[in-house]
Amino acid sequence: MIPFTYVRATDSAGAAAAATASSARFIAGGTNLLDLMKLQIETPTKLVDITHLPLRDIAAEGDGLKIGALVPNSDLAADERIRQDYPLLSRALLAGASGQLRNKATTGGNLLQRTRCSYFYETNAACNKREPGSGCDAIGGFNRIHAILGASEHCIATHPSDMAVALRALDAKVETLTAEGETRLLPLEAFYRLPGTTPEIETNLQAGELITAVVLPAPLGGRQVYRKVRDRASYAFALISVAANVGIEAGVMRNVRLAFGGLAHMPWRDASVEALLEGQAPSDDLFAKAADRLLADAVGQGENDFKIELVRRTLPAVLSEATGAAA
């Protein structure tokens, strides 16, 4: 055990101020952090316990909802407003982890969970995310679960969250509180970072910045589908996942939102794919073109080449389900 100090925060401002050191970490459910500490991948010198902060409500926010950062995944998935107006989010949550973990895991922690790349977890392997500058053994190694979009020569890891994929499709924003007391509202695409040359920096959070809530806009309308393709039916991370919202008006698609998991370092969304579909009548040919557009820059790493074909099959199937049921 590597020694660390423990602080129990009593308010959000105090929590943010207590965690400004680069070696400090917030702890709530701890479903990912504690595993990483046991393996000495994460070695914080200070843990700031935020479990007693008043961040467990799901409340109306204009025409949408504000979800407190400490709302357990199980409570969020079961909330009647989420199930009725944002079923995509409920389905994504229920597709992730086990019932026991969902009871403990929090909304904020889910966003911040780290990759399940086996080289990240193996301390004898080269991993730029764990040890910057050491290399990436996943490139040319066992990379079946790794990225085909947005990767770099420094890292090909994927983000593991199901919830974050649904939130990206729903245009959610992350509310934070900085150590200086400033409130920020970050869209998911501004919250996460691609690996580039610094894969160890996964978000645009500042030192000590605390996630306080996730804000959902007004419901989009239309049909929502979440499909997760994985090696086994339970407790497995996505090989690929697709979160889709599609409405049908006068025979054409409206409010098309698509996000993808298992393909990149962050929940992936391509505005050009949505623009291709928006205002068009559903058809198999169009869905195939959408998959081609999404995969225009895809690069396989050998063992994960199958993901390219898997996307070509899964995306059209999801779009057919969404538009067929909505028509």
Side-chain angles (χ1 to χ4, degrees):
M1 174 67 72
I2 295 178
F4 58 86
T5 58
Y6 170 85
V7 177
R8 177 177 287 184
T10 57
D11 59 75
S12 296
T20 53
S22 61
S23 58
R25 295 289 184 272
F26 297 115
I27 186 166
T31 55
N32 188 207
L33 178 61
L34 291 179
D35 285 342
L36 295 172
M37 289 177 66
K38 291 174 185 177
L39 295 170
Q40 297 188 8
I41 295 168
E42 289 273 8
T43 55
T45 59
K46 179 191 284 187
L47 287 183
V48 180
D49 184 348
I50 61 172
T51 56
H52 295 272
L53 301 184
L55 302 174
R56 296 182 180 273
D57 292 333
I58 303 173
E61 178 84 353
D63 293 329
L65 290 176
K66 178 183 279 192
I67 303 160
L70 295 179
V71 173
N73 287 175
S74 54
D75 289 1
L76 183 57
D79 187 90
E80 186 60 33
R81 293 162 294 182
I82 297 295
R83 294 175 63 191
Q84 179 173 328
D85 294 331
Y86 309 93
L88 183 58
L89 178 55
S90 182
R91 291 166 188 161
L93 285 163
L94 293 174
S98 64
Q100 294 92 330
L101 283 172
R102 290 195 297 269
N103 286 340
K104 194 70 175 175
T106 63
T107 300
N110 192 308
L111 291 173
L112 294 174
Q113 62 181 303
R114 307 198 69 187
T115 184
R116 266 48 180 199
C117 171
S118 56
Y119 297 102
F120 175 70
Y121 277 81
E122 175 50 68
T123 55
N124 292 319
C127 174
N128 288 317
K129 185 180 288 293
R130 176 172 33 78
E131 186 178 346
S134 65
C136 176
D137 277 349
I139 298 176
F142 181 67
N143 50 46
R144 186 171 182 270
I145 67 170
H146 288 70
I148 60 173
L149 292 170
S152 75
E153 63 181 4
H154 298 275
C155 184
I156 59 171
T158 54
H159 193 271
S161 172
D162 290 286
M163 183 192 79
V165 178
L167 291 176
R168 184 90 196 262
L170 292 170
D171 295 322
K173 296 180 179 180
V174 182
E175 182 189 88
T176 68
L177 181 68
T178 70
E180 293 75 30
E182 176 190 0
T183 297
R184 296 206 296 164
L185 200 59
L186 301 173
L188 264 291
E189 61 268 27
F191 179 81
Y192 290 114
R193 294 166 55 107
L194 290 176
T197 60
T198 55
E200 74 278 9
I201 306 174
E202 298 170 347
T203 72
N204 285 310
L205 293 175
Q206 303 168 12
E209 191 165 6
L210 173 69
I211 296 174
T212 55
V214 169
V215 179
L216 290 170
L220 291 168
R223 180 168 174 79
Q224 296 182 3
V225 176
Y226 186 76
R227 184 170 298 189
K228 179 178 181 177
V229 182
R230 46 189 163 174
D231 284 325
R232 58 183 185 271
S234 66
Y235 200 44
F237 296 99
L239 296 171
I240 71 164
S241 60
V242 182
N245 181 97
V246 185
I248 296 290
E249 294 180 10
V252 300
M253 291 177 281
R254 299 293 185 192
N255 290 329
V256 178
R257 303 289 191 277
L258 296 169
F260 303 86
L263 301 186
H265 207 72
M266 60 191 288
W268 193 259
R269 190 166 164 185
D270 188 329
S272 71
V273 176
E274 295 173 4
L276 177 68
L277 298 168
E278 186 74 25
Q280 301 298 313
S283 72
D284 292 341
D285 286 344
L286 182 61
F287 296 161
K289 288 178 182 178
D292 289 341
R293 178 74 59 86
L294 175 70
L295 295 167
D297 296 321
V299 177
Q301 297 291 335
E303 292 190 351
N304 70 347
D305 291 353
F306 75 96
K307 285 191 176 186
I308 295 174
E309 180 60 26
L310 193 57
V311 171
R312 293 190 192 282
R313 298 184 182 206
T314 305
L315 177 56
V318 168
L319 289 171
S320 292
E321 180 181 352
T323 56

